Amino acid sequence: MELLLTVLVLVPILWCIDGYPTGAHSDACGPMIPRHVGAYPQHTPSPYSVLTNSKMFYPGYPVTVTIAGPQYRGLLLQARSHESNDALGSWQLPPPDTKFLNCSNNPHGAMTHSNPNLKGVTTVYSWVPPDFHGPIYFMVTVVQERTVFWVHLSSIHVFRGSGPPPGPVAGPGRAGTGAGAGAGAGAGTGAGRAGALATGGQSGLAEQTSIVALVMSFLLFAILG
């Protein structure tokens, strides 16, 4: 009985000491603070920066996010607005050693680590924006070691683009237009050629008719004369 009580007491303590080696818990979605016993956020300037590949976003077009700085072991990454602490948008396929975290009732609302393996600038996160009109920013908590971490690191603000999305539009419409235009042009050209041939044929037939009439007139004149 005493052994059982000892195990029941030690297991939660050891779990808390180790923190969350397989990723943040959903309880951390709001405050974004790791629950590591005896560890507190750093108050020194962070060596990490949250970088994006664009200053604008378009609904449905992915935005790339990276964490620049020393290698790190853990993170909790979300997209937010100043309107609330809700996680916005959806993250795409997690890079190695990371996984999705359900935040704000969104199964793909945040990214976190799946193990304590080292990660770095080659770990690239891809976020798909929702149909949202206000500016957004990316917020991250980065864990360098279990007792060394920085919280609430923010990226620049990313604004919704006002014009069409960058890059070429999907091809089917263009291909259809091109095909239609080509077919129309080809058909028009073919029709023109056919018309020209028909006109030439009619002209030749008229000439033949005139010659036949002339020969018949000559024969008739010879017979009567």
Side-chain angles (χ1 to χ4, degrees):
M1 184 64 179
E2 292 181 359
L3 179 60
L4 178 60
L5 290 175
T6 302
V7 171
L8 292 176
V9 170
L10 285 179
V11 167
I13 292 176
L14 291 174
W15 177 257
C16 290
I17 290 175
D18 288 339
Y20 292 93
T22 58
H25 193 270
S26 58
D27 290 346
C29 288
M32 298 190 72
I33 299 177
R35 296 183 177 183
H36 299 171
V37 174
Y40 301 94
Q42 301 296 303
H43 296 292
T44 57
S46 169
Y48 299 99
S49 300
V50 187
L51 306 180
T52 65
N53 69 330
S54 176
K55 296 181 180 179
M56 294 186 296
F57 72 87
Y58 299 86
Y61 284 73
V63 175
T64 297
V65 181
T66 53
I67 311 300
Q71 290 185 313
Y72 55 94
R73 296 187 182 277
L75 83 158
L76 175 54
L77 175 62
Q78 297 179 15
R80 288 186 174 185
S81 74
H82 289 293
E83 297 178 3
S84 71
N85 289 334
D86 290 342
L88 299 175
S90 296
W91 296 91
Q92 290 188 310
L93 185 66
D97 304 316
T98 68
K99 65 180 183 180
F100 296 123
L101 179 64
N102 191 328
C103 287
S104 305
N105 295 319
N106 181 353
H108 298 167
M111 295 296 301
T112 188
H113 54 283
S114 60
N115 57 54
N117 293 346
L118 289 172
K119 305 154 187 70
V121 291
T122 57
T123 305
V124 179
Y125 307 92
S126 183
W127 176 76
V128 179
D131 189 7
F132 187 78
H133 292 279
I136 64 96
Y137 62 95
F138 297 96
M139 179 173 284
V140 67
T141 289
V142 183
V143 179
Q144 193 175 68
E145 298 293 343
R146 192 191 71 83
T147 59
V148 181
F149 56 89
W150 287 263
V151 300
H152 303 158
L153 307 180
S154 298
S155 71
I156 61 171
H157 284 82
V158 182
F159 295 84
R160 177 165 177 160
S162 57
V169 182
R174 286 188 172 185
T177 303
T189 304
R193 290 179 179 176
L197 291 174
T199 303
Q202 291 176 356
S203 176
L205 181 60
E207 291 179 359
Q208 291 179 359
T209 303
S210 299
I211 294 173
V212 170
L214 181 61
V215 171
M216 291 295 294
S217 299
F218 178 77
L219 291 175
L220 182 61
F221 179 78
I223 293 172
L224 294 176

